[in-house]
Amino acid sequence: MKEIRKILASIKRADETFNLINPGDKIVIGVSGGKDSLVLTYALSLYQKFAQKDFTIQPVILDLGFPGFDALKLQTWVTSIGLTLVVEPAKDVYPILQIQQEKSGMNHLPCSICSRMKKAAINKAAQHLGFNKVAFAHHADDAIETLFLNEIYGGRMATFAPKMHLERADITFIRPLILAEEASIIRCAKELELPVLP
């Protein structure tokens, strides 16, 4: 179980460096079913116990309308760590992505459109639940990749911030895994035998 200790240390360092979590925060954790979001969920459930900050966490997965979506396996796992997984309906996303795919003639669904729609849906869920923050599982490797993508395709040097407040939605995005390396997350997910969805 040494990898979870590394993950927790990176979350603590990120929290202290970027002031991510404050007493009284109510944080929705965006769960996709992938390794990153499951490690974040488990790690924050532990961090909550020793961080000496009174904050609430709520894992939320979006039902985007993709065929075959089934959250039962994840709900069972989240319950096993003492939390409850909220399944938030957002079934209008998949049909819109299909229309965009057909219009553009692409072989795959457009990531950037999906990302924006997911952020809007998770914001709506957080507001509906009365939460003030949303935690995403983006890690250090994601930040570096985003930097290169922006340089190559956007002609600018930029990546995402560890903490970002959205004025209109009045929601703050935080990325507690910002200092964690993907290799460590992969090892952690394997050590914990997390129920990662395909």
Side-chain angles (χ1 to χ4, degrees), residues 1-9 184 187-188 191-192:
M1 293 294 171
K2 66 176 182 176
E3 287 303 327
I4 190 61
R5 289 198 291 270
K6 283 186 187 174
I7 298 293
L8 286 167
S184 183
R187 287 191 297 269
C188 186
E191 280 184 8
L192 296 170

Side-chain angles (χ1 to χ4, degrees), residues 149-183:
L149 286 169
N150 282 330
E151 287 178 347
I152 295 166
Y153 297 105
R156 61 194 175 97
M157 288 185 63
T159 189
F160 50 75
K163 182 179 181 179
M164 180 177 69
H165 185 73
L166 303 177
E167 293 293 333
R168 283 196 314 204
D170 197 25
I171 294 286
T172 300
F173 284 160
I174 60 170
R175 294 176 168 99
L177 294 178
I178 190 70
L179 301 178
E181 295 177 3
E182 185 175 29

Side-chain angles (χ1 to χ4, degrees), residues 117-134:
M117 292 181 77
K118 285 194 301 185
K119 281 180 186 165
I122 203 86
N123 283 348
K124 187 177 172 186
Q127 289 169 327
H128 170 74
L129 294 166
F131 281 57
N132 66 312
K133 287 186 179 173
V134 173

Side-chain angles (χ1 to χ4, degrees), residues 44-133:
L44 281 182
S45 76
L46 296 178
Y47 189 64
Q48 188 182 34
K49 293 176 174 71
F50 73 81
Q52 298 180 334
K53 293 180 183 183
D54 181 27
F55 66 94
T56 305
I57 55 173
Q58 176 60 67
V60 173
I61 189 166
L62 300 171
D63 180 355
L64 301 171
F66 282 84
F69 173 79
D70 183 3
L72 184 59
K73 190 176 176 185
L74 289 179
Q75 286 174 308
T76 302
W77 175 76
V78 169
T79 301
S80 78
I81 63 168
L83 299 168
T84 304
L85 180 65
V86 170
V87 179
E88 189 71 18
K91 290 180 184 278
D92 55 337
V93 171
Y94 182 65
I96 292 169
L97 291 175
Q98 282 186 304
I99 291 166
Q100 291 297 322
Q101 182 182 14
E102 288 167 15
K103 277 185 180 177
S104 66
M106 297 193 313
N107 292 328
H108 56 83
L109 294 172
C111 295
S112 60
I113 296 169
C114 186
S115 175
R116 284 195 300 273
M117 292 181 77
K118 285 194 301 185
K119 281 180 186 165
I122 203 86
N123 283 348
K124 187 177 172 186
Q127 289 169 327
H128 170 74
L129 294 166
F131 281 57
N132 66 312
K133 287 186 179 173

